Amino acid sequence: QQPVQSPQAVILREGEDAVINCSSSKALYSVHWYRQKHGEAPVFLMILLKGGEQKGHEKISASFNEKKQQSSLYLTASQLSYSGTYFCGTAAGGYQKVTFGIGTKLQVIP
Amino acid sequence: DTGVSQDPRHKITKRGQNVTFRCDPISEHNRLYWYRQTLGQGPEFLTYFQNEAQLEKSRLLSDRFSAERPKGSFSTLEIQRTEQGDSAMYLCASSGSGQSSYNEQFFGPGTRLTVL
């Protein structure tokens, strides 16, 4: 089943913070976060594993609540380059398929 | 540039024609995924290979779709008798091997298919 993302869209001014949430109705092994700009491929941001491991860009932070099957992506001191659509993807097993949500559109304005 | 390449980048075809897309993954990656993405949606899983073995195929995938990964290197996705509903961006992604628990996937630039 597709994870649910919220909010669906958000507009920020440069320097503001934002949180994007992702929830699933199924038990999860991993949560994946990607950013996609218009006309481009999704770019990997972060992966969070059951058990607390995570790997990703230094300037990106995220959390994963295994019991609630929820994850949040934290964007701080936003820059214009942060604009794009953010997708969370979830997987039930280590090398299983990733199921993506419909995305959160983020626009950062000057 | 993630190191995953796809060819062609754009394909326009007439309904009923067959099309084939190619994906070259990052060389050391042994897992390869195909996704389809339409406007306003996230990538939708189609199929997945580990080396040359096709391990999973979406139940939503029509029999008109077939994918191969001979010798565990590049992969091809063929769509037979294309329909207008097949119009979408077809994305390929690859992920690493070894003992790592991580399965971060790196996407190629995609092939945009338009069926007239």
Side-chain angles (χ1 to χ4, degrees), chain A residues 63-75:
Chain A
S63 63
F64 179 19
N65 186 322
E66 298 167 32
K67 290 183 179 178
K68 293 185 176 180
Q69 292 124 229
Q70 294 175 346
S71 177
S72 294
L73 184 71
Y74 304 99
L75 302 171

Side-chain angles (χ1 to χ4, degrees), chain A residues 10 40 57 67-69 75 85 94 96 107:
Chain A
V10 59
E40 300 179 8
H57 290 272
K67 290 183 179 178
K68 293 185 176 180
Q69 292 124 229
L75 302 171
T85 300
Q96 293 186 12
Q107 183 181 2

